[in-house]
Amino acid sequence: MVKALYLDDSYMKEFSAVVESVKDDKYVVLSETAFYPNSGGQPYDTGKFIKDSEEFNVVFVGKFGDVISHEVDKPGLKPGDKVKGIVNWDRRYRLMRSHTAAHVLSAIFHKEIGALITGNQLDLEKSRIDFNLENFDRDKIDEYVLKSNELIDKDLPVTVSYMPREEALQKPELAKLAKGLPEAIKTIRIISIGDFDSQADGGTHVKSLKEVGHLEIIKCENKGKNNRRVYFKLEE
Ligand SMILES: [Zn+2]
């Protein structure tokens, strides 16, 4: 199983690793990686590998079972090569801010009206969250965004911890996600925002809320009877 360095240190921008395998001259698996793979609604990292003085651009990162595979833009790497990995930090940091913002917004929606998230997709320009919600009042949404931004101003710490699966299943707020994870996963990774919110999560987050900046709603859509889609972005 590959060591995913971003799980415990979301701020790692550079790392050293050994190439374990290369498929079709472009799909590279490393001994460990700080590159985040496309998963859980958070887009993949980009960046580069450096071997001696040669650079290989990382154009896509995917997760296949326990394996994290990096797609590079040219051939030349082989098993045993030592590489330095450099994550495109502007892209990643923006996605980290958006991901934490999505947790804040979902937590507020959940606390205020009991809405549950049914899906989410983060992106650089705009992100969306789907809520299971019958009624949809635009004024209320604006109020929840205001509350989200007030919470962000409190600058609560955002922390990573781990919990045995059985324990997570006992906690109502974590049980829904924990149940959805494969049985083989015995330890659940938890992202907590102070004592305001905890979610089972595999993504990368900022370490204090202020780094998010404020968020604003772009638009809201009805996607079927109980499905409401909210698009948001980070304020510049
Ligand atoms: Zn998340």
Side-chain angles (χ1 to χ4, degrees):
M1 187 171 171
V2 72
K3 261 182 82 184
L5 302 167
Y6 56 83
L7 289 174
D8 292 321
D9 185 0
S10 293
Y11 288 79
M12 187 181 284
K13 307 169 185 72
E14 296 186 12
F15 62 99
S16 297
V18 178
V19 174
E20 288 198 334
S21 70
V22 182
K23 194 180 145 208
D24 299 340
D25 281 333
K26 61 177 179 179
Y27 301 111
V28 179
V29 176
L30 302 178
S31 54
E32 53 192 350
T33 186
F35 280 81
Y36 186 81
N38 210 32
S39 54
Q42 182 180 330
Y44 58 91
D45 287 337
T46 60
K48 60 188 171 186
F49 294 155
I50 300 174
K51 186 188 83 169
D52 302 323
S53 58
E54 197 180 359
E55 295 193 356
F56 300 79
N57 291 310
V58 176
V59 296
F60 180 82
V61 185
K63 192 162 187 259
F64 306 94
D66 282 342
V67 175
I68 295 174
S69 172
H70 312 73
E71 181 180 347
V72 292
D73 65 342
K74 63 173 186 181
L77 289 171
K78 9 177 240 314
D81 283 347
K82 287 195 177 68
V83 294
K84 181 174 171 184
I86 301 175
V87 173
N88 175 345
W89 186 247
D90 284 348
R91 174 184 166 89
R92 155 68 91 70
Y93 188 56
R94 209 177 161 78
L95 293 168
M96 278 164 58
R97 289 169 60 217
S98 296
H99 198 158
T100 308
H103 280 214
V104 169
L105 199 57
S106 330
I108 297 273
F109 266 69
H110 185 62
K111 281 180 208 295
E112 296 286 332
I113 33 172
L116 290 173
I117 316 168
T118 54
N120 70 306
Q121 182 60 50
L122 307 168
D123 215 335
L124 294 171
E125 298 308 319
K126 64 171 192 249
S127 299
R128 66 170 162 80
I129 310 179
D130 290 340
F131 293 100
N132 186 313
L133 204 60
E134 196 164 346
N135 295 310
F136 209 44
D137 179 345
R138 183 59 208 245
D139 291 343
K140 282 280 175 208
I141 305 248
D142 290 339
E143 186 190 317
Y144 302 152
V145 170
L146 200 65
K147 286 191 171 171
S148 297
N149 287 334
E150 282 169 5
L151 182 72
I152 288 167
D153 289 340
K154 288 188 184 152
D155 200 20
L156 299 174
V158 183
T159 53
V160 179
S161 60
Y162 295 88
M163 191 183 282
R165 181 195 183 89
E166 293 311 312
E167 198 180 325
L169 287 171
Q170 304 305 315
K171 297 187 184 285
E173 73 277 18
L174 299 173
K176 188 170 169 277
L177 273 160
K179 271 182 207 152
L181 295 170
E183 288 283 340
I185 298 179
K186 298 293 179 213
T187 306
I188 311 279
R189 181 173 175 267
I190 312 283
I191 298 292
S192 302
I193 299 176
D195 54 10
F196 185 80
D197 179 57
S198 288
Q199 291 186 34
D201 190 275
T204 59
H205 291 266
V206 295
K207 59 183 181 311
S208 67
L209 273 191
K210 249 195 181 135
E211 294 182 48
V212 170
H214 283 177
L215 57 100
E216 60 185 66
I217 297 293
I218 302 171
K219 62 175 173 176
C220 307
E221 286 174 353
N222 290 331
K223 304 292 273 186
K225 188 170 178 289
N226 290 321
N227 195 15
R228 305 289 173 260
R229 180 166 285 180
V230 175
Y231 288 91
F232 73 91
K233 65 173 184 151
L234 300 170
E235 269 177 15
E236 290 309 324

